[in-house]
Amino acid sequence: MLLDKKSPIPVYFQLKKIIKEDIEKRNLKPGDPLPSEREYCENFGISRMTVRQALKELESEGIIVRERGRGSFVAIPRIEQEGLMSFTEMVKARGMKPETEIVEFLKIPAGNLSATLGIKDEDNIFKITRARKADGIPVALETVYIPEEFVPDIEEKDLTGSLYNILKDEYGMEIKGSKTSFSATTSTPFLEELLKLEEPMPLLKVESVNFATGLIYYEVSYYRSDQFKITVNLSRG
């Protein structure tokens, strides 16, 4: 697409529209680098000031991110949780494809989680750790602790999908509520490897005790702070 320098529409605005269309048509995907300012100048025969104005507006709209010394990149849309939603629901709501990698599946005694889960110390629980992705990008590491007695054959189910749906469709247990806490933490080498982080970064730690029909299970997740946000609706009675 060419710029019309005789048009009453400012040149920077035309360039901004061209870049937005490239992103919308997926010619440039989330995380992809944009051409350099010099390339835009040479390709369109425009000044660097014009290019910078277009990029500045795209950045202010959250369409791109600009990193000093590295250039501009297509912004990765943050996954947003509002209310009681599964990871699969959150990702699909953003028009993205959810993916799951099973990292660990163990059967262990409940131990110090027995009081939280309402069972005995010696009762067995399943520990299921999964890496959760959106459009192939690792977003979270999730570990679920769930009593064996309620889901004795869960290892035979497809755990790469929604656990909410498995509990509902396979066991007739629907999630009714959750007691959840949020805290900030820093990535560890283990988390950096699984979340494909190039360097340490802040993470959002989410701990939940989830209540389903006749079932309590515990979950702890670590979310990339650059790709996830939680919205909480508050009101005064």
Side-chain angles (χ1 to χ4, degrees), residues 211-222:
F211 305 95
T213 311
L215 166 72
I216 299 174
Y217 72 92
Y218 173 68
E219 178 180 345
V220 57
S221 300
Y222 295 89

Side-chain angles (χ1 to χ4, degrees), residues 110-150:
N112 58 11
L113 285 176
S114 59
T116 299
L117 299 173
I119 58 178
K120 298 176 182 178
D121 290 2
E122 62 271 21
D123 288 342
N124 286 328
I125 60 175
F126 291 117
K127 177 186 178 183
I128 308 168
T129 300
R130 307 187 296 173
R132 312 304 300 270
K133 303 177 183 180
D135 281 353
I137 299 172
V139 174
L141 185 72
E142 161 199 288
T143 301
V144 170
Y145 301 86
I146 188 166
E148 178 189 22
E149 64 175 301
F150 295 106

Side-chain angles (χ1 to χ4, degrees), residues 28 81 97 115 121 127:
L28 290 169
Q81 179 175 0
K97 179 184 177 182
D121 290 2
K127 177 186 178 183

Side-chain angles (χ1 to χ4, degrees), residues 214-234:
L215 166 72
I216 299 174
Y217 72 92
Y218 173 68
E219 178 180 345
V220 57
S221 300
Y222 295 89
Y223 289 92
R224 289 180 55 156
S225 57
D226 62 337
Q227 295 183 19
F228 186 81
K229 70 176 181 178
I230 293 177
T231 300
V232 179
N233 295 315
L234 302 174

